[in-house]
Amino acid sequence: MEVAQPKDLKEDFVLAKRRHAELVRQKRIFNARNRIIGGDTAAWDAQVCDQNIKAATEKARDEAFAAEMRQNDKIACISENRERRDRKNLCKAINDFQQSFQRPETRREFDLSDPLALKKDRPARQSDYDARNTISGMQKFMGEDLNFHLRKKFQEEQNREWSLQQQKERMIGRENQKCAEDVYLKTRLQFDETAKHLQNLETATRKAVCATVKEFNKNQALESAEKKIQERKQEQEDNLAEISNMLRGDLLSENPQQAASSFGPHRVVPDRWKGMSQEQLEEIRLVQRQQVQEKLRLQEEERQRDMDWDRRRIQKARATLLFEQQQQRLQRGLRRALDCSNLSLAREQLLQSLG
């Protein structure tokens, strides 16, 4: 009889734990309807929840940053507008002060840069007898025209004579031009009379041509109208013939023979096909019923397989449970036998120690 050691008990515990884990794994994996392969849904749900929390946090932080940025932009715009207004008021005040108290004409050195200085100043020489014309002023020299007034009067008389002479020549030129215009007017009247006569001849010729063309166009219009009437009548007759042919033809009479193809009896012409016959529809319905029966048979076979698989799984689990119960009974018997053996050995050792 062997004595149970702590190491053996530990190994039995590890084996029992591994056996229990294997049973749990088999129960999870060998369930053909509820098994989950290759993924942990709980971990996935936790990850999705963490991602949602992280996204909400990021969104709230971005919204806070955006609100702060908008507030900063608003403050910056207000500050910029205030600075621009203050700068404008300062420039206006400076301009008003300069216009009121710092005008150019109030400066001491304004006479050095006055743009109207030459207009305000007197001329250097007003006459030959000006008291300012000193020797050192160099405003009066030898050889100058001292008879300016006499010379100016002579020039005015000369200009008047030239003006009278020009007026006389202008009158003579006007008379000559008037004579030339009269000659030109007479010639132009003759030309106008000739042109009027030619125009009258041309108008009479054009009227005759227009009358001839009008008569020709009238004849052409009558012929065209007669031709259109004939064409319309012919078109009506053709349309009536086409309608009669269409009504009597195979297309509108729903003749199924016109859909027959020349490539074989099993093929049809798509643009002439009038639908399936009753025999073909019955054949299709028969095939559909066969397919339904076949599908029901396959579903029944699948249900039988599932039931067989469930029965086998239950039998296997029951056999495993019975085997474990038997192993437990054997272990309990071994443990009782081991306990009895240990007790008897302890008694023998006690008796040996007392003896």
Side-chain angles (χ1 to χ4, degrees):
M1 206 63 183
E2 296 182 356
V3 180
Q5 298 295 329
K7 183 177 180 181
D8 298 334
L9 295 176
K10 186 176 181 181
E11 290 180 354
D12 291 339
F13 177 74
V14 171
L15 289 174
K17 185 177 180 181
R18 187 179 299 171
R19 190 178 296 109
H20 179 69
E22 181 66 21
L23 289 175
V24 172
R25 187 181 69 84
Q26 290 179 0
K27 185 177 179 181
R28 185 176 67 253
I29 292 177
F30 291 105
N31 190 354
R33 294 186 178 182
N34 300 323
R35 64 186 179 187
I36 299 174
I37 299 176
D40 189 357
T41 57
W44 289 348
D45 294 337
Q47 291 178 0
V48 170
C49 184
D50 294 340
Q51 291 291 333
N52 293 332
I53 294 172
K54 185 177 180 181
T57 306
E58 292 289 338
K59 184 178 180 180
R61 186 175 62 183
D62 293 341
E63 290 179 354
F65 286 163
E68 186 177 359
M69 289 177 66
R70 287 194 296 270
Q71 184 68 20
N72 294 333
D73 292 340
K74 186 176 181 181
I75 294 172
C77 291
I78 294 172
S79 301
E80 185 177 357
N81 292 331
R82 184 179 300 168
E83 183 180 359
R84 189 183 299 110
R85 186 172 59 254
D86 294 341
R87 191 182 300 111
K88 183 178 180 181
N89 293 332
L90 179 60
C91 293
K92 184 178 180 181
I94 291 172
N95 291 330
D96 294 340
F97 179 79
Q98 290 177 354
Q99 292 292 332
S100 300
F101 303 101
Q102 293 183 352
R103 291 182 294 181
E105 56 268 16
T106 60
R107 301 176 185 174
R108 292 181 300 175
E109 64 276 4
F110 179 70
D111 56 345
L112 299 177
S113 61
D114 188 5
L116 303 177
L118 297 177
K119 292 184 179 181
K120 295 177 181 179
D121 194 8
R122 292 186 299 171
R125 179 182 177 183
Q126 292 181 351
S127 64
D128 293 338
Y129 302 100
D130 195 349
R132 295 178 301 164
N133 293 336
T134 60
I135 297 176
S136 62
M138 300 182 68
Q139 295 294 329
K140 184 178 181 181
F141 300 95
M142 296 298 295
E144 289 184 345
D145 188 7
L146 300 178
N147 298 323
F148 173 73
H149 297 287
L150 297 175
R151 182 175 55 80
K152 187 176 181 181
K153 187 177 180 180
F154 176 75
Q155 289 178 352
E156 290 177 355
E157 290 290 337
Q158 190 177 10
N159 290 332
R160 187 173 64 81
E161 291 179 358
W162 287 351
S163 178
L164 293 174
Q165 185 178 359
Q166 288 178 357
Q167 291 179 3
K168 186 177 180 180
E169 291 177 356
R170 192 178 293 111
M171 290 176 64
I172 294 172
R174 287 177 181 175
E175 292 177 356
N176 295 331
Q177 184 178 3
K178 186 177 181 181
C179 293
E181 288 179 355
D182 292 339
V183 175
Y184 175 76
L185 183 58
K186 292 179 181 180
T187 308
R188 184 64 181 270
L189 290 173
Q190 292 179 359
F191 288 161
D192 290 340
E193 290 292 336
T194 305
K196 186 177 181 181
H197 180 65
L198 294 175
Q199 186 176 4
N200 292 331
L201 292 177
E202 184 179 0
T203 303
T205 306
R206 187 181 295 112
K207 287 182 179 180
V209 172
C210 289
T212 306
V213 172
K214 184 177 181 181
E215 187 67 25
F216 178 76
N217 291 333
K218 186 177 180 180
N219 296 331
Q220 289 291 109
L222 292 175
E223 292 179 1
S224 178
E226 185 66 24
K227 185 176 180 181
K228 287 182 179 180
I229 292 171
Q230 294 295 331
E231 290 178 354
R232 191 180 299 109
K233 185 177 180 181
Q234 184 65 32
E235 185 178 0
Q236 291 178 357
E237 292 178 357
D238 294 340
N239 292 335
L240 290 175
E242 184 178 0
I243 292 171
S244 177
N245 293 331
M246 290 294 293
L247 292 174
R248 297 176 182 177
D250 295 335
L251 182 62
L252 297 179
S253 61
E254 301 292 338
N255 186 8
Q257 297 298 328
Q258 63 175 347
S261 177
S262 59
F263 295 100
H266 62 285
R267 299 183 65 176
V268 296
V269 180
D271 58 346
R272 300 179 185 176
W273 189 57
K274 299 300 179 179
M276 295 182 179
S277 60
Q278 291 296 328
E279 293 79 5
Q280 293 175 343
L281 293 175
E282 290 295 332
E283 184 178 357
I284 291 173
R285 294 191 185 96
L286 179 61
V287 172
Q288 289 177 350
R289 286 194 294 270
Q290 292 177 359
Q291 290 177 353
V292 171
Q293 293 176 1
E294 181 67 18
K295 185 176 181 180
L296 292 175
R297 185 182 63 78
L298 293 175
Q299 290 178 355
E300 182 66 22
E301 290 180 357
E302 184 178 1
R303 190 176 65 81
Q304 292 295 332
R305 285 197 300 270
D306 292 340
M307 292 176 62
D308 190 12
W309 175 259
D310 293 339
R311 185 174 60 258
R312 291 181 182 180
R313 182 171 58 80
I314 292 171
Q315 291 177 359
K316 186 175 181 181
R318 186 179 299 171
T320 304
L321 182 61
L322 293 175
F323 179 75
E324 288 181 355
Q325 291 177 357
Q326 185 178 3
Q327 291 292 329
Q328 290 176 1
R329 285 197 298 272
L330 291 174
Q331 287 180 2
R332 285 198 298 270
L334 291 175
R335 190 175 294 110
R336 285 196 296 271
L338 184 61
D339 292 339
C340 294
S341 177
N342 291 333
L343 183 61
S344 62
L345 289 174
R347 288 177 180 177
E348 291 177 359
Q349 290 177 359
L350 181 61
L351 290 175
Q352 289 178 3
S353 62
L354 291 176

